[in-house]
């Protein structure tokens, strides 16, 4: 019973059926051609088939981006080498013998020939190499930047510098092109990034000197990171909540396949110029995405920016709206009103969006830890035992761990939630690190390998889930910037790897201890995150502020009466 002063209750679950005098919604659409297309009309006009085609087009470039973003280990691998000897000189006689990293040894005592010194006329004292180096290449590329420009001994510092500049380039691309994707649109940022990737990919292949190579690699890393980021955003915004995880996992597995293909192509080309050219050349085919109608702008960004003049690519199938409605494509946009567009970002409102800043800080910190600690697991055995595993073993182990991490996310994240799996994977990362550090003197070789693989697997799962989680809870108006910031903080964590190589892994134990301690702190901070499982993507800053942490204990009950109550008489 309702009071006389209260308004009548209406149940939204029972919509009024169209009467003969009032035509249905399908017949009203053609009668209003002057109105701008709403979110429902734009989205439903795509249809399931076109949606799948666009998603496939957004996933395919990941196969070739791996050639540009994951080729550094092959390009900078330093093979065994010694001074080039002129004439019929014997290595064991003309080159000093090192034992345990120093000199003073003899052949047959478990050492190795010196890599940077030689005897003059076969007798002491030893001097630095004067005629170059001879390389014994058994793994990786036959000709990479180390062997071509002799980046060993006194010039070895250029290798970590190149790695640092490449990571800084990725950081710059994530921040700059992520912001551009929010302000200019996903399509324009994608085409700009693709064009720059092709241009700088060609320039890298013809670089004559190490300094030019490093500068071009910086620019190539920035452009490639922009392609990856804009494709990630567009792909996510083309999916309904139930398909977002599956599509993201497929894109991640294709990147893993690209890394395996990269190794196979490297064994075939045996030249770093051909390897990078094989990655840059296919990207020219994707420049056709700029052709009108091939790869349209993200519908979410168009709705937010109020770009009604750019919605022609979504209006070609308005007549089939009834069929598309049954298709359940983009159901999360059907409830959005047409007047929610915000062409400009209010920086004052962004500054006071505390919940958004909190989510960015927590996910950025977690991304920093997960990306930085991965290197500790990859090199732990070599740091502790002194005998580093082969390059192929390390590379394949890292790639397969990444593929397994994506499969784990696909199997668990939609069932257990984003926050729960992120908490579990970060906890496994910290525990594996603590066990390796605390019991390394008592663990066997098998146990060290098992816990290193476990830590590498869980850290890569954490890193991948951080990016996906950020893209889901950031509003469309700053989604590119938010995901770019989290990716950039992950790049900051990756900087520890070349910096440790520059110091010859001196102080690796303290480096690992710091990351392990921060991993435990990240576990506590993850509890502050909201849950985004199968929820709609937020559009505005106000929507993003509504993504708050669910209560840890019992849900609080209020005394506000429900607006809709069941009526047993009906």
């Amino acid at each position: 019973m309702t009071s006389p002063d209260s308004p009548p209750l209406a149940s939204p679950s029972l919509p009024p059926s169209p009467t003969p005098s009032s035509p249905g919604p399908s017949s009203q659409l053609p009668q209003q051609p002057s109105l701008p297309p709403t979110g429902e009309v734009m989205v439903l006009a795509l249809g399931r088939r076109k949606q799948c085609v666009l998603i496939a087009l957004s996933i395919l470039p990941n196969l070739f981006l791996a050639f540009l973003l994951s080729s550094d280990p092959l390009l900078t691998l330093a093979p065994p080498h010694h001074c080039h000897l002129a004439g019929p000189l014997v290595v064991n006689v003309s080159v000093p013998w090192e034992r345990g990293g120093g000199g003073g040894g003899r052949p047959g005592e478990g050492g190795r020939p010196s890599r940077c010194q030689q005897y003059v006329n076969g007798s002491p004292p030893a001097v630095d190499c004067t005629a170059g180096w001879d390389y014994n290449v058994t793994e990786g590329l036959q000709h990479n930047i180390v062997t071509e420009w002799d980046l060993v001994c006194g010039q070895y510092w250029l290798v970590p510098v190149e790695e640092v500049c490449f990571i800084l380039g990725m950081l710059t691309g994530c921040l700059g092109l992520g912001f551009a994707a929010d302000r200019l649109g996903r399509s324009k940022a994608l085409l700009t990034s693709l064009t720059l990737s092709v241009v700088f990919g060609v320039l890298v292949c013809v670089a004559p000197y190490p300094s030019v190579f490093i500068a071009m690699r910086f620019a190539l890393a920035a452009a490639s990171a922009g392609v990856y980021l804009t494709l990630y955003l567009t792909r996510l915004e083309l999916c309904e909540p139930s398909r977002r995880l599956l599509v993201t996992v497929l894109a991640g597995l294709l990147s893993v396949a690209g890394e395996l293909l990269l190794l196979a192509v490297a064994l075939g080309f045996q030249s770093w110029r051909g390897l990078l050219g094989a990655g840059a050349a296919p990207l020219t085919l994707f420049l056709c995405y700029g052709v009108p109608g091939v790869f349209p702008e993200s519908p979410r960004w168009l709705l937010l920016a109020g770009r009604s003049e750019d919605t022609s690519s979504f209006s070609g199938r308005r007549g089939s709206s009834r069929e598309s409605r049954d298709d359940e494509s983009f159901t999360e946009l059907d409830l959005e009103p047409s007047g929610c567009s915000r062409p400009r970002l209010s920086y004052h409102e962004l500054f006071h969006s505390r919940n958004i800043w909190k989510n960015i800080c927590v996910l950025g910190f977690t991304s920093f830890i997960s990306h930085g600690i991965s290197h500790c697991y990859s090199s732990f055995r070599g740091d502790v035992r002194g005998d580093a595993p082969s390059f192929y073993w390390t590379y394949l182990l890292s790639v397969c761990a990444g593929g397994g991490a994506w499969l784990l996310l696909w199997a668990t994240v939609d069932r257990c939630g984003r926050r729960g799996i992120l908490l579990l994977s970060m906890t496994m990362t910290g525990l594996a690190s603590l066990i390796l550090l605390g019991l390394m003197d008592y663990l066997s070789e098998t146990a060290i390998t098992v816990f290193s693989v476990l830590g590498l697997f869980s850290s890569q799962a954490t890193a991948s889930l951080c990016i996906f989680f950020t893209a889901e809870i950031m509003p469309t108006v700053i989604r590119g910037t938010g995901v770019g910031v989290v990716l950039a903080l992950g790049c900051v964590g990756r900087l520890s790897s070349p910096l440790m190589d520059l110091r010859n892994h001196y102080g690796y134990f303290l480096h690992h201890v710091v990351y392990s301690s921060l991993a435990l702190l990240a576990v506590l901070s993850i509890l502050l995150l909201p849950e985004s499982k199968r929820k709609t993507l937020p559009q505005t800053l106000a929507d993003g502020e509504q993504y708050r942490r669910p209560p840890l204990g019992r849900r609080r009950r209020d005394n506000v009466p429900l607006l809709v109550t069941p009526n047993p008489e009906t």
Side-chain angles (χ1 to χ4, degrees):
M1 298 295 294
T2 59
S3 60
D5 298 332
S6 61
L9 300 178
S11 176
S13 60
L14 297 175
S17 58
T19 60
S21 59
S22 60
S26 58
S27 60
Q28 292 179 355
L29 288 176
Q31 299 175 2
Q32 299 176 351
S34 60
L35 295 177
T38 63
E40 183 179 0
V41 175
M42 287 173 54
V43 169
L44 294 179
L46 277 175
R48 176 69 71 187
R49 181 177 300 177
K50 188 173 182 180
Q51 178 197 17
C52 294
V53 170
L54 293 178
I55 291 175
L57 291 177
S58 67
I59 292 177
L60 188 58
N62 283 21
L63 183 66
F64 304 101
L65 283 176
F67 283 70
L68 305 180
L69 296 175
S70 306
S71 57
D72 245 17
L74 288 165
L75 299 179
T76 59
L77 178 63
H81 55 274
H82 59 79
C83 297
H84 176 72
L85 304 176
L89 299 178
V90 183
V91 174
N92 292 341
V93 177
S94 302
V95 177
W97 201 262
E98 293 181 348
R99 181 176 58 187
R106 297 179 180 179
E109 293 184 354
R112 65 182 183 186
S114 175
R115 296 186 173 186
C116 302
Q117 290 184 328
Q118 70 179 78
Y119 290 136
V120 179
N121 297 326
S123 60
V127 297
D128 293 336
C129 300
T130 58
W133 287 263
D134 291 332
Y135 299 94
N136 181 23
V137 180
T138 58
E139 296 176 325
L141 293 170
Q142 192 72 25
H143 303 285
N144 59 8
I145 63 172
V146 175
T147 60
E148 180 169 338
W149 291 317
D150 290 333
L151 302 184
V152 294
C153 299
Q155 296 294 317
Y156 178 73
W157 61 274
L158 286 172
V159 174
V161 167
E162 187 277 333
E163 295 175 347
V164 168
C165 289
F166 185 78
I167 296 175
L168 291 178
M170 295 179 60
L171 186 150
T172 304
C174 291
L175 293 178
L177 293 171
F179 179 80
D182 288 335
R183 303 277 68 82
L184 304 178
R186 318 305 194 210
S187 181
K188 290 183 179 179
L190 175 61
L191 292 178
T192 302
S193 304
L194 278 173
T195 304
L196 293 177
S197 298
V198 173
V199 172
F200 289 113
V202 174
L203 294 178
V204 164
C205 295
V206 298
Y209 307 108
S211 57
V212 178
F213 176 82
I214 292 175
M216 294 299 102
R217 284 283 286 176
F218 175 89
L220 178 62
S224 302
V227 175
Y228 177 83
L229 176 58
T230 51
L231 286 174
Y232 198 105
L233 298 176
T234 306
R235 184 166 52 243
L236 200 75
E237 292 172 353
L238 286 171
C239 299
E240 60 268 25
S242 60
R243 289 195 170 191
R244 288 201 298 255
L245 177 64
L246 176 61
V247 170
T248 305
V249 169
L250 290 178
L253 291 178
L254 194 64
S255 297
V256 172
E259 295 180 8
L260 295 176
L261 182 62
L262 170 67
L263 183 60
V265 173
L267 296 177
F269 275 96
Q270 292 297 324
S271 172
W272 67 270
R273 298 182 189 271
L275 181 65
L276 293 180
L283 291 181
T284 59
L285 301 176
F286 299 109
L287 292 177
C288 67
Y289 287 3
V291 177
V294 175
F295 197 77
E297 181 60 80
S298 167
R300 285 189 164 273
W301 189 86
L302 289 177
L303 286 171
L304 191 67
R307 300 279 295 275
S308 59
E309 68 275 7
D310 295 333
T311 58
S312 58
S313 60
F314 297 92
S315 58
R317 293 180 58 188
R318 293 186 191 178
S320 59
S321 59
R322 183 182 301 274
E323 177 184 355
S324 300
R325 184 183 302 274
D326 297 335
D327 203 16
E328 297 181 359
S329 299
F330 304 104
T331 53
E332 58 183 296
L333 280 177
D334 292 348
L335 300 178
E336 296 179 1
S338 59
C340 66
S341 62
R342 295 189 53 172
R344 293 184 181 181
L345 172 65
S346 173
Y347 292 97
H348 176 76
E349 184 180 356
L350 176 62
F351 181 77
H352 290 86
S353 301
R354 299 180 181 179
N355 190 50
I356 293 178
W357 283 109
K358 181 257 297 180
N359 294 334
I360 291 179
C361 290
V362 172
L363 288 169
F365 179 67
T366 307
S367 177
F368 167 78
I369 299 302
S370 57
H371 282 88
I373 204 171
S374 295
H375 173 71
C376 300
Y377 296 117
S378 300
S379 61
F380 187 83
R381 178 182 170 186
D383 294 334
V384 174
R385 303 305 188 195
D387 53 339
S390 65
F391 168 77
Y392 291 136
W393 164 258
T394 304
Y395 184 88
L396 292 176
L397 180 63
S398 178
V399 173
C400 293
W406 281 115
L407 293 177
L408 173 68
L409 297 181
W410 171 72
T412 58
V413 168
D414 265 348
R415 293 176 174 84
C416 304
R418 278 66 164 153
R419 191 179 64 159
I421 299 302
L422 184 62
L423 183 65
L424 174 63
S425 58
M426 199 67 212
T427 303
M428 292 172 57
T429 302
L431 288 179
S433 181
L434 292 177
I435 291 174
L436 288 174
L437 292 174
L439 303 176
M440 63 179 179
D441 293 333
Y442 308 98
L443 296 177
S444 61
E445 293 288 339
T446 304
I448 289 179
T449 302
V450 169
F451 284 107
S452 297
V453 172
L454 177 62
L456 185 63
F457 170 79
S458 57
S459 62
Q460 293 202 20
T462 304
S464 301
L465 186 53
C466 273
I467 310 305
F468 179 67
F469 206 168
T470 306
E472 283 195 322
I473 65 177
M474 287 295 107
T476 304
V477 67
I478 59 167
R479 182 169 295 123
T481 305
V483 176
V485 168
V486 175
L487 281 172
L489 290 174
C491 293
V492 174
R494 290 179 54 185
L495 286 174
S496 61
S497 174
L499 293 179
M500 288 297 295
D501 293 339
L502 187 61
R503 295 171 53 86
N504 199 19
H505 286 240
Y506 180 76
Y508 75 92
F509 186 83
L510 179 62
H511 171 258
H512 203 159
V513 167
V514 170
Y515 271 113
S516 301
S517 304
L518 294 177
L520 299 179
L521 182 60
V523 170
L524 299 178
S525 64
I526 290 173
L527 297 175
L528 302 176
L529 293 174
E531 179 56 63
S532 62
K533 182 177 69 172
R534 296 184 179 179
K535 292 184 179 179
T536 62
L537 295 178
Q539 281 285 91
T540 63
L541 295 178
D543 297 335
E545 279 293 287
Q546 296 177 1
Y547 270 76
R548 299 182 180 275
R549 176 186 62 84
L552 297 178
R554 178 181 297 178
R555 295 182 179 271
R556 185 182 62 182
R557 295 184 178 181
D558 51 26
N559 296 322
V560 179
L562 297 178
L563 295 179
V564 179
T565 56
N567 189 354
E569 296 180 358
T570 59

